[in-house]
Amino acid sequence: MSTRPRPTTLLAFAAALLLAGCTAVNPYYDATRPHHRPDGFANNYGPAGGKPFGELLAWYVERTRNGDPKPPSTHVNGYDFPVVKPDLAMLQANRERITATWIGHSTLLLQIAGLNILTDPQFSARAFPVQWAGPKRRAPLPMTIAQLPRIDLVLISHNHYDHLDHDSVTALQAQAGGPPLFLAPLGVDLWLKDQGVTRVERFDWWDRRTLLGVEVHFVPAQHWSARGLFDRNASLWGGWVVRAPGFDFYFAGDTGYSRDFADIGARFGGFDLAAIPVGAYLPRWFMKEQHVDPAEAVRIHRDVKARRSIGIHWGTFELTDEPLDAPIGELPEALRAQGVPAEAFVLFRHGETRVYERRP
Ligand code: ZN
Ligand code: ZN
């Protein structure tokens, strides 16, 4: 039995989404800031995100004709798709060691400076407004929200459904030991409050704050936003920087390639660990402005001067035309082509944890 959503369902929803004009009012509008608009936000260097209906239709015709995406192979470059069981007892108890665990897609559990930090929590079976249609989770979830250590900080990059999930947010809000602190781009704070989230800090690009003993910055990305019919680019999108003693972390969010990354590299002077998207990139003519491919992800790794990077935004939800496991073959090729050591930019297995050393 096929569990894929009917293309017509997706097409109808996406068409409505993309046809809809901006009718929002930006309550945070600041005319002195170039990426602000009276009705929302814009990119620094690339065009405003979201594609015209004609291009969306052309993409659907193309992918249907080609039969894309092709199914993933189960063994590529020695990678087994099955999930690794995380060491839950270690993650629950750990306050000392710096760790990163890939839960899937753009959801990472980071343990830095004694804090449990979650990026773009998505624990649902589908990344869509409803759970009976839309992109289905293809790799099993390695751990549930109830199995997480108590989360201190949640970093939200933007409001697309594969990054901001209603059920995951409300479950975190209700976690044992009290709700985490949610860090949100401008406008996403309002949505979170509507869902009953009580602890929210909103950030504009380049805002910096010290929270829970770490320095947090919100930084630009080239992307767009929308959850409904009338809110295209009404809320902001971007990436997060967490600077802790001896360890600087960067989460790129969802992005196309732009000069924003050279700006971030110049401002921060490098990172100990970066999480950079490597999936959801075909066809290039449609995706290029909003999603990087593995070669561009490696350019971001170099631009921001990351010592090590993790590839995210792949292998979990089938969103675009490349096979779900394509980054397993393409990332090492891109690293070779750009002279970056293979161990500097890696893909985790779902559920895999790695431990990192603090800088002296
Ligand atoms: Zn997105
Ligand atoms: Zn995404």
Side-chain angles (χ1 to χ4, degrees):
M1 189 188 79
S2 170
T3 50
R4 290 188 57 181
R6 275 189 221 98
T8 45
T9 312
L10 281 181
L11 187 60
F13 177 78
L17 193 74
L18 297 175
L19 276 170
C22 271
T23 56
V25 173
N26 178 0
Y28 301 124
Y29 179 55
D30 175 351
T32 67
R33 310 215 64 185
H35 65 288
H36 283 222
R37 298 286 181 274
D39 56 0
F41 300 92
N43 287 307
N44 279 332
Y45 301 114
K51 286 286 192 174
F53 178 66
E55 290 190 22
L56 187 78
L57 192 64
W59 173 34
Y60 269 90
V61 169
E62 179 183 296
R63 77 189 314 217
T64 305
R65 192 184 53 221
N66 296 345
D68 288 330
K70 306 285 188 292
S73 347
T74 48
H75 296 273
V76 184
N77 290 355
Y79 179 103
D80 296 326
F81 233 57
V83 162
V84 175
K85 197 81 202 107
D87 184 343
L88 299 176
M90 186 280 283
L91 294 172
Q92 289 281 353
N94 177 42
R95 291 290 175 277
E96 296 302 317
R97 285 190 291 176
I98 297 169
T99 74
T101 303
W102 187 45
I103 293 168
H105 203 56
S106 297
T107 310
L108 284 167
L109 169 65
L110 295 144
Q111 300 188 299
I112 304 174
L115 297 176
N116 295 313
I117 303 173
L118 210 52
T119 63
D120 285 354
Q122 177 34 293
F123 289 80
S124 289
R126 292 182 189 266
F128 209 60
V130 291
Q131 287 296 310
W132 46 264
K136 195 176 182 302
R137 184 177 294 276
R138 294 285 166 189
L141 200 56
M143 61 199 293
T144 63
I145 289 182
Q147 291 171 326
L148 290 168
R150 183 188 170 274
I151 299 300
D152 300 290
L153 266 183
V154 179
L155 311 179
I156 304 288
S157 66
H158 67 302
N159 74 358
H160 285 151
Y161 287 89
D162 54 323
H163 300 260
L164 182 61
D165 176 65
H166 171 271
D167 291 357
S168 304
V169 162
T170 51
L172 284 163
Q173 169 67 20
Q175 74 178 346
L181 177 60
F182 287 81
L183 306 189
L186 290 183
V188 177
D189 59 311
L190 302 172
W191 182 89
L192 288 168
K193 285 178 184 160
D194 282 348
Q195 316 313 312
V197 169
T198 48
R199 300 178 63 210
V200 190
E201 292 264 350
R202 64 168 181 266
F203 282 67
D204 197 354
W205 287 347
W206 305 120
D207 279 355
R208 159 199 174 152
R209 245 161 272 168
T210 299
L211 296 163
L212 310 179
V214 291
E215 191 182 295
V216 183
H217 303 246
F218 189 53
V219 295
Q222 181 177 293
H223 201 59
W224 63 295
S225 72
R227 282 183 84 78
L229 304 181
F230 309 109
D231 66 341
R232 197 203 294 193
N233 298 334
S235 67
L236 190 55
W237 51 90
W240 293 96
V241 170
V242 177
R243 299 177 105 180
F247 201 82
D248 294 342
F249 169 71
Y250 167 57
F251 170 57
D254 214 355
T255 190
Y257 184 74
S258 72
R259 276 156 51 204
D260 289 305
F261 304 102
D263 295 347
I264 292 166
R267 176 159 312 210
F268 295 98
F271 299 97
D272 298 288
L273 182 65
I276 300 172
V278 298
Y281 55 86
L282 287 186
R284 290 316 284 152
W285 68 263
F286 189 88
M287 294 295 162
K288 192 173 177 59
E289 287 158 6
Q290 47 187 318
H291 289 157
V292 291
D293 63 14
E296 290 167 328
V298 175
R299 287 174 70 187
I300 292 178
H301 166 89
R302 294 162 60 207
D303 287 354
V304 303
K305 306 186 183 83
R307 285 167 53 203
R308 281 156 304 191
S309 292
I310 308 170
I312 56 168
H313 204 257
W314 74 282
T316 313
F317 297 104
E318 209 165 52
L319 302 172
T320 53
D321 285 0
E322 81 277 9
L324 204 52
D325 58 355
I328 297 168
E330 298 228 342
L331 180 61
E333 217 167 274
L335 290 166
R336 248 191 321 275
Q338 297 183 50
V340 177
E343 63 275 15
F345 194 155
V346 298
L347 300 176
F348 283 25
R349 291 165 167 80
H350 292 82
E352 182 176 348
T353 299
R354 296 200 191 183
V355 178
Y356 297 90
E357 295 303 317
R358 226 169 251 104
R359 282 191 319 273

